[in-house]
Amino acid sequence: MKKYQLIIAALFSISLSAQQKINRKALVTRHNVQITAIDTLASLTVGNGAFAFTVDATGLQTFPKTYQNGIPLGTQSEWGWDSYKNVNGYKFSETLRDYKQYGRDISYTVQIKEPARRVEAVNWFRQNPHLLQLGNLGFEITKKDGSLVQPSDLKAISQKLNLWTGEIESYFEVEGTPVTVYTASHQEKDEIGVKVKSTLLKEKRLKISLRIPFPTGDWADMGTKWEGKQDYKSTLSEKSKTQVVVTHVMDSISYNVSLNWKGNAQIKKTGEHYFVLEPSNTDTFELSCLFALAEKPVSNSSFSVIENSSSKGWEQFWKSGAAVDFSGSTDPRANELERRVILSQYLTKVQCAGKVPPQETGLTYNSWYGKPHLEMHWWHGVHFALWNRADLLEKSLPWYQKVFDKAKNIAKRQGFEGARWQKMTDPDGNESPSSVGSFLIWQQPHFITYAELLYRNKPEKATLDLYSERVFATADFMASFANYDAKKDRYVLGPGVIPAQERFKAMETFNPTYELAYWNWALKTAIAWKKKLNQKVPEKWETVLAKLSPLPISDNVYLATESATDSYTNPEFKTDHPSVLGTFGMLPETSLLDKKIMKNTFDLVWNTWSWDKTWGWDFPMTAMSAARLKMPEKAIDALFMNVTTNTYLKNGHNYQAERLTLYLPGNGGLLTAVAMMCAGWDGTNEENPGFPKDGTWKVKSEGFQKMF
């Protein structure tokens, strides 16, 4: 009898487990994006992590000028970089300026204000190389009177992004005639598949245009500059009756745009960089558009192959890793949080899962000339590991090996040991001049964070061997950067630093709280790696760790920096990132931390910060701190703070301002916070520790990894 009871109990347990498993397709598809009007902030994107293609309500990039001040209609790939010709022979050394730091001259690449020659050199190295908008693929639709269709002429708009398959289905009518468009991206190639259904094709009133823009060379590039002084060439060559290749030759790059179609069509070059494809004798037309470097020819796929690649790739993505389901919650914010979480997963997979750390606007449009900012890679990548998709973080780590020598050269130039990781950089790891970025240090320990997360995912010697050289070079720099103060017998960070809260003057600032805690954690982690490999721990690491300055305190709260005794009385110092909360949020409890003082600090920041002058990742960071401090209600409140920079658009993008209409660190931050709120961190045993236990939140989660 007992045997049968055990069998029944086991079967009941299996059944219960099956019932509790999240229905991922239902979870994902209930947040499919639906668009019913021209909305310039609701552009939709398809892509594969290293390539993205953003469309308007037509399913292609038909109205780029209309959308340029919203979410622009970009086509970008992580390989698509160009540099203008350096006709004036600017040298990087012209961007360097010496600063007295630690009793010696140390050079930094900064935005020099004079003389004119050096100002021009700085500007050249800031804008070069720049990420390109590779091409605009749109419709030319003619009305009965012969005029081109404008956005206001589109009626009955109905567009859907099917998140489960990664395909966009667009429907609209022109003078009563329906047009249906399917758009998808290949998951292994930089290729778009398009299928169009409309009698306008047979009437030769619907054509497809390819227009290649000039790079702006400006801070931003929306892909709508149609004229330029550069002598670029776009050459059309026919490969067959159903395929042509446009080769675009620029200053330092040449690439192909290959068009392949099914059916009858003719293509004409109607401008220097403008081509029009005219289908005929059909009311259904299939097209593939492939972008590739000219020296790396790739063959086109058919629309059906692209559609299948998208469908299979996205289904595999959604079935992998973690998931969280808030259905059944009575808190009115639950469904919106679930929507933001699902769409943030989609957007970061499309735009932030390549082999190069992404820029803050991903692969949609340029900000900061398209340059990656390595301090932001934490927000772009850490969530992948916590959502049990460590492979997507791991893809970008070989890049750090590629640029390793340049990081070591920066440290050597400045008289430090090890490797000083770049801040504002490019695909080859070059520095970009910045009077703020060059003095940031909070990106330095990031590589140790990534390596530790990947080791936890695969706790094998092979992981240690793969990353240890870069981990140890990072620690070498950190130990040598800390300066010994003989009077107080301690090691100090700065002066000569700007904290993550970019409100402090470099040569007046020392001992920022978050950075001190990060130095402590990272050096301890590097020491642990040495011991795991049975290697001798450098004495300098242990000495710096033992004598690192304590976290600065005043009035029973942590200051932003030891040098800013007016951290909470100077209005300017209560703006930008409240990075002091990262001390116990992004980071675990360190030996430097007093949790009571941290709680006091949290309360003061919460009540007095100028939240309207913050950024998208500040709210998740605040939620992470609240969760660790056992204030789950505050964690939810932080994620829903009613501030413009905490806005999430219909397409899931984290809106900041007119200048920065999307901000992927906000999406990545949200995913990091939710992962921690679900799985917890080292030492937590409570289920979903970051969510209130008052019955208003019903949280079903699976597959998450704990944070350290």
Side-chain angles (χ1 to χ4, degrees), residues 136-430:
N136 176 273
L137 190 71
F139 290 118
E140 282 193 1
I141 307 175
T142 307
K143 294 196 292 185
K144 292 175 182 176
D145 65 5
S147 63
L148 285 177
V149 162
Q150 301 302 313
S152 59
D153 295 318
L154 302 188
K155 307 299 180 185
I157 293 171
S158 179
Q159 186 177 49
K160 180 176 79 171
L161 168 59
N162 185 333
L163 296 163
W164 192 256
T165 64
E167 186 173 48
I168 299 170
E169 181 179 350
S170 308
Y171 176 89
F172 56 94
E173 295 178 4
V174 175
E175 297 177 316
T177 302
V179 181
T180 303
V181 184
Y182 300 89
T183 315
S185 172
H186 200 290
Q187 294 304 291
E188 304 297 330
K189 297 191 285 188
D190 296 353
E191 185 176 30
I192 297 301
V194 183
K195 184 175 183 178
V196 188
K197 294 182 177 180
S198 179
T199 56
L200 294 177
L201 288 163
K202 194 172 289 185
E203 298 171 23
K204 294 186 178 183
R205 289 172 51 201
L206 190 152
K207 304 172 186 178
I208 296 172
S209 65
L210 170 67
R211 195 173 190 182
I212 301 177
F214 284 76
T216 64
D218 295 335
W219 182 88
D221 190 341
M222 280 65 173
T224 55
K225 182 182 179 184
W226 306 122
E227 296 178 353
K229 296 178 181 178
Q230 297 87 353
D231 186 25
Y232 299 151
K233 296 284 190 289
S234 294
T235 305
L236 178 67
S237 59
E238 291 191 27
K239 300 299 180 182
S240 71
K241 290 184 178 180
T242 59
Q243 183 180 14
V244 297
V245 175
V246 174
T247 301
H248 190 60
V249 180
M250 304 181 70
D251 293 302
S252 65
I253 188 176
S254 298
Y255 63 91
N256 292 336
V257 185
S258 179
L259 301 175
N260 184 278
W261 58 89
K262 184 179 179 181
N264 295 321
Q266 298 292 323
I267 191 163
K268 294 180 181 179
K269 184 174 183 179
T270 60
E272 285 298 314
H273 308 286
Y274 200 135
F275 306 86
V276 177
L277 182 66
E278 182 181 292
S280 59
N281 301 321
T282 183
D283 55 14
T284 300
F285 190 71
E286 296 182 6
L287 172 75
S288 69
C289 180
L290 173 68
F291 298 85
L293 288 168
E295 66 267 25
K296 295 182 179 179
V298 186
S299 299
N300 283 70
S301 308
S302 65
F303 171 77
S304 60
V305 167
I306 296 169
E307 188 178 45
N308 188 54
S309 172
S310 178
S311 180
K312 283 188 174 180
W314 279 103
E315 182 176 1
Q316 183 180 16
F317 171 80
W318 292 116
K319 286 183 175 179
S320 72
V324 60
D325 183 335
F326 298 128
S327 59
S329 300
T330 57
D331 189 305
R333 299 169 293 184
N335 186 67
E336 172 60 13
L337 181 58
E338 188 180 275
R339 183 189 78 90
R340 295 182 184 186
V341 164
I342 293 296
L343 293 180
S344 292
Q345 287 179 80
Y346 180 83
L347 290 171
T348 54
K349 167 61 175 69
V350 165
Q351 310 228 27
C352 305
K355 295 178 181 178
V356 179
Q359 64 168 320
E360 296 179 30
T361 41
L363 294 164
T364 301
Y365 76 97
N366 283 5
S367 53
W368 290 276
Y369 312 96
K371 304 285 182 77
H373 292 177
L374 290 197
E375 85 280 19
M376 290 294 102
H377 197 199
W378 200 100
W379 296 109
H380 289 299
V382 163
H383 65 91
F384 286 131
L386 301 184
W387 281 74
N388 208 12
R389 297 182 180 119
D391 58 306
L392 296 182
L393 169 61
E394 197 168 16
K395 283 171 66 175
S396 62
L397 292 205
W399 180 85
Y400 286 86
Q401 184 65 46
K402 175 183 176 181
V403 306
F404 191 25
D405 285 344
K406 291 183 179 178
K408 288 187 286 188
N409 287 338
I410 296 171
K412 184 177 180 181
R413 185 189 82 215
Q414 297 179 335
F416 299 116
E417 298 174 14
R420 181 168 193 166
W421 297 109
Q422 303 83 334
K423 191 279 185 190
M424 182 176 167
T425 185
D426 63 32
D428 295 317
N430 298 303

Side-chain angles (χ1 to χ4, degrees), residues 469-482:
E469 183 184 13
R470 284 164 284 171
V471 165
F472 298 155
T474 301
D476 283 337
F477 169 79
M478 293 172 64
S480 70
F481 183 83

Side-chain angles (χ1 to χ4, degrees), residues 621-654:
M621 179 179 65
T622 303
M624 290 153 65
S625 186
R628 289 195 193 258
L629 288 167
K630 299 183 178 179
M631 298 187 290
E633 291 81 9
K634 276 284 196 292
I636 296 294
D637 290 344
L639 293 181
F640 282 93
M641 204 174 288
N642 186 21
V643 179
T644 298
T645 50
N646 198 33
T647 300
Y648 284 78
L649 303 172
K650 289 179 183 178
N651 50 23
H653 275 302
N654 178 209

